Amino acid sequence: MFKGLPAIVLTGPVEESSGRKAVQLWLSLFFLVLIVVGLGVDSVQFRDAWFDGRQMANVLFVAYFMLMFYAMGRKLQRLMFVMTFLSYLGELLCSEALGMYDYKGNAIPLYVPFGHAMVYATGLILSQTPAVQNNKRYLKQVFAVIFVALFAGAFVFAADVFTLVFAMLFFWVLRRKKWDSKYYCIALCAVLVEFAGTGYGCWSWKPVLLGFLPAANPPLGAVFIYAGGDVILEKILFLWDKRKRSNKLTL
């Protein structure tokens, strides 16, 4: 049913040598493990049993970001660079200005913007593997069913109205992007991050968001923030490329 599962090299827009592609993929897969381990170090449970591991988690995630950044090609490096700053602005908006969630210690951890960039890069790399590319039509249906079930479950069992509303926005973005599997892969990584982070007590979402939308902790509709962030990222990179071309013509 699934074609290309044994292959580990990437295909598509992430253009690199086969050796570097393999390194990128393994780094991305191990990042999924690091999410669980690194957030566990910053957890309330770790703090209560040992000590506050926030600084240790910062070192782990920032060091791994530097390793991933070094292993990526120029295009992905640029994506990760811009996404890091874009994510920090998003944190200031969602956490500080809108008060949608609080971090342990009431301060945005240093590792968070770097983590968002790695989530984005990991989802992008996974979406370009032969296992995904060779089965896009089938996987799009599977992913759609999975996310409809997740969103519906959050609404039915947790009265998560925020997720219901933002799920519609998530699917609206996907429709505009022709149901690109990239968004599903990024969203799955984001779901892992949210369940690990809230489960460990690294952060917690407010029971009512934006002043009137009841929400679970975590609200799965938050995956729309990643999809919306990608749209903004694409616009920034388009303007960046346009300016570079304009400068070359001027010279």
Side-chain angles (χ1 to χ4, degrees):
M1 182 180 293
F2 289 96
K3 306 173 185 176
L5 282 175
I8 61 172
V9 297
L10 305 179
T11 60
V14 185
E15 300 287 346
E16 298 293 338
S17 66
S18 59
R20 173 168 281 193
K21 292 173 186 176
V23 171
Q24 292 172 353
L25 180 56
W26 286 115
L27 284 172
S28 297
L29 291 174
F30 189 75
F31 173 65
L32 299 178
V33 178
L34 183 66
I35 289 172
V36 178
V37 175
L39 291 177
V41 171
D42 189 34
S43 68
V44 172
Q45 297 89 335
F46 188 93
R47 180 196 64 192
D48 292 344
W50 303 97
F51 56 87
D52 190 347
R54 171 64 54 81
Q55 297 308 319
M56 187 183 298
N58 285 335
V59 171
L60 281 172
F61 281 110
V62 174
Y64 202 79
F65 173 90
M66 294 173 66
L67 180 62
M68 283 190 72
F69 188 86
Y70 177 78
M72 300 302 160
R74 186 168 297 177
K75 180 178 180 180
L76 267 175
Q77 285 179 339
R78 190 173 61 162
L79 287 171
M80 292 178 69
F81 176 80
V82 176
M83 180 56 82
T84 301
F85 289 97
L86 188 62
S87 297
Y88 182 65
L89 294 176
E91 288 294 325
L92 291 177
L93 174 64
C94 295
S95 178
E96 300 292 335
L98 297 178
M100 297 172 70
Y101 47 85
D102 292 319
Y103 285 102
K104 176 174 69 73
N106 297 317
I108 300 171
L110 175 64
Y111 65 76
V112 168
F114 296 97
H116 283 312
M118 288 188 286
V119 166
Y120 181 85
T122 295
L124 180 59
I125 289 170
L126 293 178
S127 73
Q128 296 301 325
T129 58
V132 174
Q133 289 293 308
N134 295 338
N135 300 280
K136 283 194 291 187
R137 178 176 295 183
Y138 177 76
L139 286 176
K140 285 178 182 178
Q141 297 172 352
V142 172
F143 285 147
V145 170
I146 289 173
F147 277 95
V148 167
L150 287 172
F151 294 147
F155 176 67
V156 172
F157 297 108
D160 190 346
V161 179
F162 176 87
T163 286
L164 182 65
V165 173
F166 279 74
M168 291 187 284
L169 294 174
F170 177 69
F171 285 122
W172 173 72
V173 170
L174 283 174
R175 186 171 180 271
R176 286 178 57 88
K177 297 297 181 179
K178 300 180 179 179
W179 309 98
D180 191 340
S181 297
K182 171 182 72 173
Y183 294 96
Y184 286 123
C185 291
I186 294 172
L188 286 173
C189 294
V191 168
L192 173 61
V193 168
E194 286 298 334
F195 274 116
T198 54
Y200 284 139
C202 301
W203 61 83
S204 60
W205 290 77
K206 300 291 182 63
V208 177
L209 301 179
L210 304 178
F212 66 99
L213 294 175
N217 181 38
L220 297 182
V223 297
F224 166 72
I225 297 174
Y226 285 84
D230 177 77
V231 173
I232 298 173
L233 178 63
E234 287 183 350
K235 185 65 175 178
I236 291 173
L237 294 178
F238 171 78
L239 295 173
W240 187 345
D241 287 336
K242 183 177 180 181
R243 182 174 181 180
K244 286 176 65 177
R245 288 193 299 268
S246 176
N247 289 340
K248 285 182 180 180
L249 291 174
T250 303
L251 293 175

